[in-house]
Amino acid sequence: MAKGYWIGRVDVEDAEGYKKYIEANAKPFAEYGARFLIRGGQFENPEGSARSRNVVIEFPSYEAALACYHSEDYQYAKSLREPVSTGDIVIVEGYDA
């Protein structure tokens, strides 16, 4: 079974407010087996547009990645994130060779 991934690009406008989102997302991420592969860090953007923060989160399956996003707990966390940041999230199925 292929893993699932969240690919997020975020500009944080209120760092203190964003900390509340991070606290709230811990529960659903643990529940759905999320593992951070990339969480911020140095980057170069040779093509296209960029945001200040990049994140890649791995889930045991594509279904788990979708279920986490749509869960009540994550939707609550998202409600804390939206007023303090601007971002894009893509949920993608991994390549299972």
Side-chain angles (χ1 to χ4, degrees):
M1 178 182 296
K3 294 183 178 186
Y5 298 88
W6 286 18
I7 302 169
R9 303 173 31 219
V10 182
D11 288 327
V12 177
E13 288 93 29
D14 176 354
E16 287 304 309
Y18 198 78
K19 288 178 184 178
K20 293 176 185 176
Y21 162 68
I22 292 171
E23 291 170 10
N25 72 29
K27 181 181 176 192
F29 285 170
E31 181 179 342
Y32 290 94
R35 183 171 75 101
F36 283 87
L37 301 180
I38 298 169
R39 193 172 196 176
Q42 184 177 341
F43 71 94
E44 182 176 318
N45 188 204
E47 294 185 32
S49 60
R51 296 203 182 269
S52 61
R53 182 172 174 78
N54 299 290
V55 179
V56 176
I57 307 170
E58 180 182 76
F59 290 83
S61 67
Y62 179 65
E63 293 74 20
L66 289 173
C68 181
Y69 183 82
H70 294 292
S71 72
E72 187 175 319
D73 286 331
Y74 185 75
Q75 290 301 304
Y76 170 70
K78 178 183 164 193
S79 76
L80 299 174
R81 184 196 64 190
E82 290 180 322
V84 298
S85 67
T86 303
D88 308 296
I89 295 177
V90 175
I91 302 173
V92 63
E93 183 177 32
Y95 178 69
D96 194 11

